[in-house]
Amino acid sequence: MPRTIWSGAISFGLVTVPINVVSATEDHSIHFHQYHLEDMGRIRTRKVCEIEDREVAQAEIGKGYELTKTQVIPITDEELRDLPLPTAKAIEIEAFVPLESVDPIRIAEGYYLQPDGQVAAKPYKLLRQALERSSKVAVAKYAWSGRERLGLLRVREDAIVLHAMRWPDEIRDPAELLPPPVEVSEGEIEGALALMESMTREDLEGEEFRDSYTEAVAKIIESKREDKPLPEAPEPKEQGQVLDLMAALQESVRKAQASRGETADTADADVHDLEPKKKTAAKKTTTKKTPAKKTAATGQAKKASAAKKTAKKPAARRPRSA
């Protein structure tokens, strides 16, 4: 069982639920240490006092707030633990809201809330079933590690999960990152919808969602341990230049449906249902109108690209940069 991170209670109205907080996730990544390459001696970080110029033990280290360059205010763990906050010992529910009203960018890591003893069993189940039946989530405040935090409580199977949340002022405005204004045609939007439909699934299980990076690192470690040749890197996929966004979307639909065992005819039919005015990919270069601003050289490049489509198909993710 995972260790308890924090103990306290959930509080909403006059109802109190004693709980233990445990991590809801595990880290299966491969971690490395730093070594001196000449003799493989371990490189470690040592904590040195700048005034005494000596290494100090963990027992001698505490927290402090730098008021000025010459004045530091020491703060103890006990002082942080005993802050005069109602959230110091409880997860105080402030409101219940629809999950869709919460921007996912504000939701962070998750923790399971475990009922603490038999006395907590009934109020815990009451809160879980009320959340489930209402299809809402609870927004709460709690204090951990010297700061008050915002949290979201939701139901996962038979458990209540607490997600840490970021405060509104912790989310940066993306306005300055947006591209310059561009026009997107209705046909291109429908083509993107066709691609989304061909990639839609009911779950996130399968080979596509396996941690291939960790598995590849594990194979390198095993090969070096047994003095075997390192596994060969796969050949990179050849990516052609995308000159026609609609052609790239249609080709991506065909690739996605082919990966599911569907025939090319089915893929064509799906795309043509959404784009009734488009001809087949083989005729597109002769029927598609060239925009007025495009040069003759660009038109020739489009024809050359279409002629080579069967030999060099554009990668599915290239339309992003088209």
Side-chain angles (χ1 to χ4, degrees):
M1 289 293 293
R3 68 180 182 86
T4 297
I5 299 173
W6 184 85
S7 294
I10 304 171
S11 176
F12 65 110
L14 298 178
V15 179
T16 299
V17 189
I19 51 95
N20 295 321
V21 178
V22 299
S23 178
T25 60
E26 294 179 322
D27 182 6
H28 292 166
S29 302
I30 294 176
H31 298 276
F32 299 101
H33 296 300
Q34 291 185 321
Y35 288 89
H36 182 202
L37 293 178
E38 184 175 332
D39 53 20
M40 297 310 292
R42 178 74 180 274
I43 303 298
R44 299 183 183 272
T45 301
R46 301 186 184 277
K47 298 179 180 180
V48 177
C49 174
E50 294 181 349
I51 296 177
E52 299 181 15
D53 193 23
R54 68 174 181 89
E55 187 177 353
V56 295
Q58 184 61 40
E60 300 178 75
I61 300 174
K63 297 181 178 69
Y65 177 78
E66 186 179 280
L67 195 62
T68 66
K69 290 296 182 181
T70 59
Q71 185 179 13
V72 177
I73 307 299
I75 302 292
T76 68
D77 291 336
E78 291 75 17
E79 289 168 339
L80 294 176
R81 188 171 59 243
D82 297 332
L83 285 174
L85 294 173
T87 54
K89 296 294 183 181
I91 299 172
E92 292 277 348
I93 294 178
E94 301 291 339
F96 295 90
V97 299
L99 178 58
E100 56 269 22
S101 70
V102 181
D103 189 338
I105 199 172
R106 296 184 60 182
I107 303 176
E109 64 275 4
Y111 305 91
Y112 286 131
L113 302 184
Q114 177 189 40
D116 188 8
Q118 187 61 34
V119 68
K122 188 170 183 177
Y124 184 93
K125 186 174 183 178
L126 172 66
L127 176 58
R128 187 193 66 77
Q129 290 187 332
L131 286 171
E132 187 174 46
R133 188 171 300 184
S134 69
S135 300
K136 294 181 180 179
V137 296
V139 177
K141 289 181 179 180
Y142 62 99
W144 290 357
S145 304
R147 58 171 292 196
E148 189 171 55
R149 302 164 186 258
L150 199 61
L152 180 148
L153 276 66
R154 69 177 181 89
V155 172
R156 185 177 190 273
E157 299 179 2
D158 291 333
I160 298 175
V161 179
L162 168 67
H163 286 280
M165 288 184 66
R166 296 174 179 87
W167 296 97
D169 60 357
E170 293 178 321
I171 306 300
R172 294 172 177 164
D173 186 351
E176 61 185 27
L177 308 175
L178 299 179
V182 294
E183 294 295 329
V184 179
S185 70
E186 190 63 30
E188 289 168 337
I189 295 175
E190 292 177 349
L193 291 173
L195 176 57
M196 290 172 61
E197 181 62 28
S198 68
M199 297 176 66
T200 298
R201 54 191 300 161
E202 297 298 326
D203 56 55
L204 297 180
E205 303 294 331
E207 293 295 311
E208 304 93 326
F209 307 105
R210 194 178 73 244
D211 185 359
S212 302
Y213 178 84
T214 298
E215 292 179 2
V217 173
K219 289 179 181 178
I220 291 177
I221 293 173
E222 184 65 17
S223 297
K224 298 192 76 170
R225 185 178 71 86
E226 298 180 356
D227 292 325
K228 293 181 178 180
L230 298 181
E232 295 184 1
E235 290 292 330
K237 293 182 180 179
E238 188 171 356
Q239 299 181 3
Q241 183 179 4
V242 177
L243 299 177
D244 188 329
L245 180 57
M246 183 57 67
L249 288 169
Q250 292 176 327
E251 184 66 20
S252 299
V253 171
R254 280 189 286 271
K255 282 179 175 289
Q257 294 187 334
S259 69
R260 295 187 176 190
E262 300 177 17
T263 64
D265 291 340
T266 303
D268 286 339
D270 286 346
V271 176
H272 294 160
D273 285 342
L274 289 171
E275 276 285 72
K277 296 181 181 180
K278 296 290 180 183
K279 303 298 182 182
T280 61
K283 297 179 180 179
K284 181 162 58 62
T285 55
T286 59
T287 59
K288 183 179 176 71
K289 293 183 180 181
T290 304
K293 293 185 179 180
K294 295 220 178 224
T295 64
T298 304
Q300 293 174 357
K302 285 176 59 179
K303 293 179 181 179
S305 175
K308 295 179 181 179
K309 187 179 296 293
T310 56
K312 296 183 178 180
K313 295 180 179 180
R317 60 181 177 181
R318 290 295 294 173
R320 295 183 188 174
S321 57

